[in-house]
Amino acid sequence: MMERRRMGAALLVLFLGNLANALEVPLDLPQPPTITHQSPKDYIIDPRENIIIHCEAKGKPHPSFSWTRNGTHFDIDHEPKVTMRPHSGTLVVDISAEKAESYEGVYQCTARNEHGTAVSNNIVIRQSRSPLWSKERNEPIVVQEGVSLVLQCRPPAGLPPPIIFWMDNNFQRLPQSSRVSQALNGDLYFSNILKEDSRNDYICYARFPHTQTIQQKQPITVRVLNQAPKDERKPTFLIPSGPSSSKMVLRGQVLELECIAEGLPTPEISWSKVSGDFPAKRTSFLHYQKTLHIVNVSESDAGEYRCTARNWLGSVHHTIRVTVKASPYWIGGPPRNLVLAPRETGVLTCRANGTPKPTITWTMNGIPIENSPKDPSRKVEDDTVIFTEVQSGSSAVYQCNVSNEYGYLLSNAFVNVLSEPPRVLTPSDRVYQVIRNNRALMDCSSFGSPIPKITWFKDTTLNGDPYIQHDNGTLEIHVAQAHNSGKYTCVARNSLGTYENHVYLEVKEPTRILKQPEYKVVRRGRSVVFECKVKHDPSLIPTMTWLKDNGELPDDERFIVDSDSLTITDVIENDEGVYTCIMNTSLDHDSASAELTVVERPDPPTDLELTDQRERSVQLTWTPGDEHNSPIQKFLIQYEDSLHHRGHWHNLTEVRGTKTTAHLKLSPYVHYTFRVLASNAVGFSQPSFPSRMFKTNPAAPDENPTGVDGYGTEHDNLVISWKPMSGLQSNGPGLQYKVMWRQKEVDKEWTSVTVANVSKFVVSGTPTFVPYELKVQALNTYGVGPEPAIAHGHSGEDLPVAAPDNVQVLVLNSTLAEVHWEPVPPKSVRGRLKGYKVYYWRERSLHKHNPHHMEKQILTFSGNHSHGMLPGLHPFSIYSLNVRVYNGKGEGPPSPSQQFETPEGVPSVPSFLRITNPNLDSLTLEWGHPHDRNGRLAGYTLRYQSVNSSNELGPVKELALPANATAVTLPNLKYSTRYKFYLSAKTDRGAGPAISEEAVTIMDEAMASRQVDIATQGWFIGLMCAIALLILILLIICFIQRNKGGKYPVKEKEDAHTDPEFQPMKDDDCTFGEYR
């Protein structure tokens, strides 16, 4: 039971100590010294500058400072070159007339006031050194090609060690590779040496970083002989030696393992860990895989590492056993200051580890704790000091020293016994601004002894979701929303009092890019616009920034930045890149990026070269130009024939954009010059520079003229024509044509003639329109072309000599007839039959009133027809016609004329219709006969009907009239009524179209006299006056009622003025609104 209580007490002490750790004692309160800045433990100084040894501390009262050197008091007053800065413990040593090395040693600073003493680390002062290289003479090194070689550097020992590199006389670094590389010790290793390694300026340089000086070794000369080169061999290690070795490294430092092998061919180095994997994020391989580099080493990196050197002849291994030691390191951080109220309990903890395990010692105010005054409230248990019911005046600074053979840790932590009411250190009325949906943190940094308890309020006490209160008093809202805005109060309480502080939280809307810039592909010289539309909290001031490739925009007036866009005019290739718009406010930002690709037509190909030259072909190669971000799709190869068409370029062939060579088929007798154009999605490039000229030898033609045709221009000739061949097709000089012809199925032998470079030949004295077989063959000075193909043609045509027989006409109706004939014999056509033409005309109408017509009309029927239709004829007429055959030369004689009659049809519309003599109940209609009667008129039909004021039609009445009538009077009509009339003529075939007209009968005078203006009647005037008087009386009554308040009492009327729902009087019914 006692052990359990002791454990509970220890946990309580630890908890209270942790709470105290978060307290920062205000400087206006008494407190022991705290060292705030000191020089590093291992302090290497530059001998050319004054020595400054830092020691800064704070406390209340402000501490005083003293120093020890090499364990004894360092009396500054007796050191004229040493001064201490005011209100500081920092020493400044003037070495202008002294040697810096005389001040080397171990220094320690002490800061003390009435509440305790703090001490610094042991600061070891050493002067940096850059000694000169020892004088030496390097004899030339002569080696056989293929052997291994090591050039030793051996720089002078410096403090700190120098940085080694190899250069030549021109201060250029010597090239290194998997064959030649520098080792960690600075030596230069050759796995096998080559003839080109001979040189006289292998120089090793050492750079000393503190003094920034560089020293060089005497140049080394290497001569490589190749009289008897070494044979190939499997690898062996130059370093390290033997099958295995060991390496010790301290925790947190860098592990570097090195394996360099010789062999021929050059070995390749690989690494593995025997019992595990490499730490991926901390491992790298340097110097062409020869160095394994692991940073921030931990205990898990201990184990066996194997390097393997391998070439095709074999391999060799070396195992390195790595052990990891550790100088002391803190677990959970160094001890922290402890503030306690009288009679409180607390604890100081010094948790550390190391390999080997370190020892821990405690001192108080710089004196070993066992030699310090006894204090019954203090108990030391290994790495912990426990304080129980402390008393006022027991404040002190405790030092914890943790050490092993690889180093030490020293930490100061004070115990300050205070009685202090709470105070809030966070400034009052501080405004915190946060973006919605983000975390909000509001500070309530406080101090007091005993430790104050912090409580937060916003209308009520804040605890539980969504509020989190941290041990240091900070209030957290994990996901802030708009309703979380407002005033917050934090209250600090302890047994000595209460302190209240107010802060404010403003939750802002996030900044968001609504329209992001989009990927753009633009042609050089054009303009491009990137849009970036943003929404932000209106109370925040936004700033739009554009970046190019994460850097500033070029200082170029072509870049135009607007409020929500970036415009780039006259785009050039250097404008390519990623453009990012960033909208910044004081609280947040949003960004979006888009890429710009600039495209252009490709540059023209270059370096045209002709190879594999043959009689009829050549191979053309070229180098593509810059494609300007748009892949080349094809190449167009053109040629110029300077022999036949100088200055004219012709397309020869196209090849895919992935090819850079083309096998070109050529024609004889051409002086070729080639050029190439590249094409991408933008267009064609400019042509390349022409190739050199390539001439092909003449040869006989490979082809004959095309388009051979035979026709006649006269009845007794034959014109043979063809498409002339070009100079490229001629294959040689002296181009001519051999023209051959024979009458088909009559002649067996060909008649031929050779003509110059023309396009036709005329054969005279031929029969009329007979078939011929034709051939045209090309020939030149070097021979004739291939056997030509046979073409066909006819000699010239003549007019037909026969007319169609047995012409007959079949009348189908009054406007359509069908004509038939017998075709003429083919021989009588004397040419190619093209068709028949029907000539027809109207002789006269069968009605005596219609005029005489003689216009001829022609209908053409192409091909070998024997009948045709004649549309659009006039009814009741006599027509004549004849038929003729025609060919390419013209028409033959007409057939004997035939007459036919067309039957009656319906007449056309009457020529006019008009209304005369309108009366009360009658109208007279007059009209004219139809222009085209199309037969014998049988009479007229008159239909009429009334139309009322709503445009509704009454019943139709019909009246038949004789053919000779031209007028009619309609009696018994209604007065003042509108009528619509329809008149049509008719023959025995029926009625023709009607003509219409409208008319109105006149009004009766008696009825008109009764329709007097009503406004002049006395009774109407009296009625209107009575109505006006009645309206006036009603208005007066309404006015009186309004002034008296109507049926409502005065009190209710007054209340109505204060009632927001009181309804005013309605103007239309003179009533008042009521209360609801």
Side-chain angles (χ1 to χ4, degrees), residues 680-696:
N680 61 11
V682 181
F684 275 100
S685 69
Q686 291 295 317
S688 67
F689 287 112
S691 69
R692 62 180 176 86
M693 184 179 293
F694 180 67
K695 299 179 180 180
T696 55

mmCIF file of all heavy atoms in Angstrom, residues 680-696:
data_model
loop_
_atom_site.group_PDB
_atom_site.id
_atom_site.type_symbol
_atom_site.label_atom_id
_atom_site.label_comp_id
_atom_site.label_asym_id
_atom_site.label_seq_id
_atom_site.Cartn_x
_atom_site.Cartn_y
_atom_site.Cartn_z
ATOM 1 N N ASN A 680 4.002 20.467 -90.090
ATOM 2 C CA ASN A 680 3.400 20.048 -88.825
ATOM 3 C C ASN A 680 1.964 20.570 -88.781
ATOM 4 O O ASN A 680 1.418 21.016 -89.793
ATOM 5 C CB ASN A 680 4.223 20.510 -87.619
ATOM 6 C CG ASN A 680 4.345 22.018 -87.529
ATOM 7 O OD1 ASN A 680 3.668 22.756 -88.240
ATOM 8 N ND2 ASN A 680 5.220 22.487 -86.650
ATOM 9 N N ALA A 681 1.338 20.550 -87.613
ATOM 10 C CA ALA A 681 -0.066 20.960 -87.500
ATOM 11 C C ALA A 681 -0.257 22.431 -87.832
ATOM 12 O O ALA A 681 -1.374 22.856 -88.160
ATOM 13 C CB ALA A 681 -0.590 20.656 -86.097
ATOM 14 N N VAL A 682 0.806 23.228 -87.749
ATOM 15 C CA VAL A 682 0.688 24.656 -88.033
ATOM 16 C C VAL A 682 0.769 24.919 -89.531
ATOM 17 O O VAL A 682 0.053 25.760 -90.064
ATOM 18 C CB VAL A 682 1.771 25.442 -87.271
ATOM 19 C CG1 VAL A 682 1.643 26.935 -87.525
ATOM 20 C CG2 VAL A 682 1.677 25.157 -85.778
ATOM 21 N N GLY A 683 1.634 24.185 -90.217
ATOM 22 C CA GLY A 683 1.766 24.400 -91.652
ATOM 23 C C GLY A 683 3.117 23.937 -92.154
ATOM 24 O O GLY A 683 3.877 23.241 -91.457
ATOM 25 N N PHE A 684 3.444 24.344 -93.393
ATOM 26 C CA PHE A 684 4.703 23.954 -94.015
ATOM 27 C C PHE A 684 5.798 24.930 -93.625
ATOM 28 O O PHE A 684 5.568 26.135 -93.467
ATOM 29 C CB PHE A 684 4.571 23.926 -95.538
ATOM 30 C CG PHE A 684 4.029 22.627 -96.073
ATOM 31 C CD1 PHE A 684 2.702 22.512 -96.435
ATOM 32 C CD2 PHE A 684 4.850 21.518 -96.202
ATOM 33 C CE1 PHE A 684 2.199 21.325 -96.934
ATOM 34 C CE2 PHE A 684 4.368 20.325 -96.702
ATOM 35 C CZ PHE A 684 3.039 20.221 -97.068
ATOM 36 N N SER A 685 6.994 24.394 -93.487
ATOM 37 C CA SER A 685 8.170 25.228 -93.248
ATOM 38 C C SER A 685 8.568 25.930 -94.537
ATOM 39 O O SER A 685 8.022 25.675 -95.622
ATOM 40 C CB SER A 685 9.328 24.361 -92.764
ATOM 41 O OG SER A 685 9.790 23.521 -93.821
ATOM 42 N N GLN A 686 9.530 26.819 -94.421
ATOM 43 C CA GLN A 686 10.179 27.347 -95.615
ATOM 44 C C GLN A 686 10.970 26.222 -96.280
ATOM 45 O O GLN A 686 11.386 25.270 -95.617
ATOM 46 C CB GLN A 686 11.116 28.496 -95.240
ATOM 47 C CG GLN A 686 10.400 29.745 -94.755
ATOM 48 C CD GLN A 686 9.559 30.380 -95.852
ATOM 49 O OE1 GLN A 686 9.993 30.484 -96.992
ATOM 50 N NE2 GLN A 686 8.337 30.774 -95.495
ATOM 51 N N PRO A 687 11.174 26.296 -97.588
ATOM 52 C CA PRO A 687 11.956 25.222 -98.234
ATOM 53 C C PRO A 687 13.398 25.219 -97.727
ATOM 54 O O PRO A 687 13.949 26.246 -97.331
ATOM 55 C CB PRO A 687 11.883 25.581 -99.718
ATOM 56 C CG PRO A 687 10.747 26.546 -99.843
ATOM 57 C CD PRO A 687 10.669 27.282 -98.547
ATOM 58 N N SER A 688 13.980 24.039 -97.739
ATOM 59 C CA SER A 688 15.397 23.931 -97.407
ATOM 60 C C SER A 688 16.226 24.558 -98.522
ATOM 61 O O SER A 688 15.723 24.858 -99.615
ATOM 62 C CB SER A 688 15.777 22.458 -97.237
ATOM 63 O OG SER A 688 15.668 21.801 -98.502
ATOM 64 N N PHE A 689 17.512 24.746 -98.244
ATOM 65 C CA PHE A 689 18.413 25.136 -99.323
ATOM 66 C C PHE A 689 18.489 23.989 -100.333
ATOM 67 O O PHE A 689 18.463 22.821 -99.947
ATOM 68 C CB PHE A 689 19.797 25.465 -98.788
ATOM 69 C CG PHE A 689 19.853 26.768 -98.041
ATOM 70 C CD1 PHE A 689 20.081 26.784 -96.669
ATOM 71 C CD2 PHE A 689 19.665 27.971 -98.697
ATOM 72 C CE1 PHE A 689 20.120 27.979 -95.974
ATOM 73 C CE2 PHE A 689 19.711 29.173 -98.007
ATOM 74 C CZ PHE A 689 19.939 29.170 -96.644
ATOM 75 N N PRO A 690 18.561 24.303 -101.646
ATOM 76 C CA PRO A 690 18.567 23.223 -102.645
ATOM 77 C C PRO A 690 19.787 22.320 -102.498
ATOM 78 O O PRO A 690 20.860 22.726 -102.025
ATOM 79 C CB PRO A 690 18.578 23.976 -103.978
ATOM 80 C CG PRO A 690 18.093 25.357 -103.656
ATOM 81 C CD PRO A 690 18.550 25.641 -102.262
ATOM 82 N N SER A 691 19.581 21.078 -102.912
ATOM 83 C CA SER A 691 20.694 20.143 -102.956
ATOM 84 C C SER A 691 21.576 20.465 -104.165
ATOM 85 O O SER A 691 21.245 21.322 -104.983
ATOM 86 C CB SER A 691 20.168 18.713 -103.053
ATOM 87 O OG SER A 691 19.563 18.514 -104.335
ATOM 88 N N ARG A 692 22.664 19.775 -104.249
ATOM 89 C CA ARG A 692 23.478 19.909 -105.463
ATOM 90 C C ARG A 692 22.733 19.283 -106.634
ATOM 91 O O ARG A 692 21.812 18.475 -106.454
ATOM 92 C CB ARG A 692 24.829 19.243 -105.280
ATOM 93 C CG ARG A 692 24.766 17.759 -105.023
ATOM 94 C CD ARG A 692 26.157 17.171 -104.839
ATOM 95 N NE ARG A 692 26.111 15.764 -104.489
ATOM 96 C CZ ARG A 692 26.036 14.782 -105.377
ATOM 97 N NH1 ARG A 692 25.984 15.066 -106.686
ATOM 98 N NH2 ARG A 692 25.997 13.529 -104.993
ATOM 99 N N MET A 693 23.092 19.675 -107.880
ATOM 100 C CA MET A 693 22.390 19.192 -109.068
ATOM 101 C C MET A 693 22.775 17.744 -109.350
ATOM 102 O O MET A 693 23.923 17.332 -109.165
ATOM 103 C CB MET A 693 22.716 20.065 -110.281
ATOM 104 C CG MET A 693 21.933 19.672 -111.528
ATOM 105 S SD MET A 693 22.327 20.740 -112.934
ATOM 106 C CE MET A 693 21.639 22.281 -112.368
ATOM 107 N N PHE A 694 21.763 16.969 -109.778
ATOM 108 C CA PHE A 694 21.985 15.576 -110.179
ATOM 109 C C PHE A 694 21.390 15.402 -111.561
ATOM 110 O O PHE A 694 20.191 15.576 -111.770
ATOM 111 C CB PHE A 694 21.328 14.628 -109.171
ATOM 112 C CG PHE A 694 21.516 13.177 -109.518
ATOM 113 C CD1 PHE A 694 22.763 12.584 -109.481
ATOM 114 C CD2 PHE A 694 20.426 12.405 -109.912
ATOM 115 C CE1 PHE A 694 22.929 11.249 -109.812
ATOM 116 C CE2 PHE A 694 20.585 11.075 -110.241
ATOM 117 C CZ PHE A 694 21.845 10.481 -110.186
ATOM 118 N N LYS A 695 22.235 15.050 -112.567
ATOM 119 C CA LYS A 695 21.803 14.924 -113.949
ATOM 120 C C LYS A 695 21.615 13.452 -114.296
ATOM 121 O O LYS A 695 22.494 12.632 -114.026
ATOM 122 C CB LYS A 695 22.822 15.543 -114.902
ATOM 123 C CG LYS A 695 23.048 17.030 -114.672
ATOM 124 C CD LYS A 695 24.103 17.572 -115.642
ATOM 125 C CE LYS A 695 24.340 19.060 -115.420
ATOM 126 N NZ LYS A 695 25.370 19.595 -116.353
ATOM 127 N N THR A 696 20.465 13.141 -114.908
ATOM 128 C CA THR A 696 20.239 11.773 -115.403
ATOM 129 C C THR A 696 20.500 11.733 -116.904
ATOM 130 O O THR A 696 20.282 12.711 -117.629
ATOM 131 C CB THR A 696 18.800 11.329 -115.106
ATOM 132 O OG1 THR A 696 17.891 12.278 -115.659
ATOM 133 C CG2 THR A 696 18.554 11.219 -113.609
#
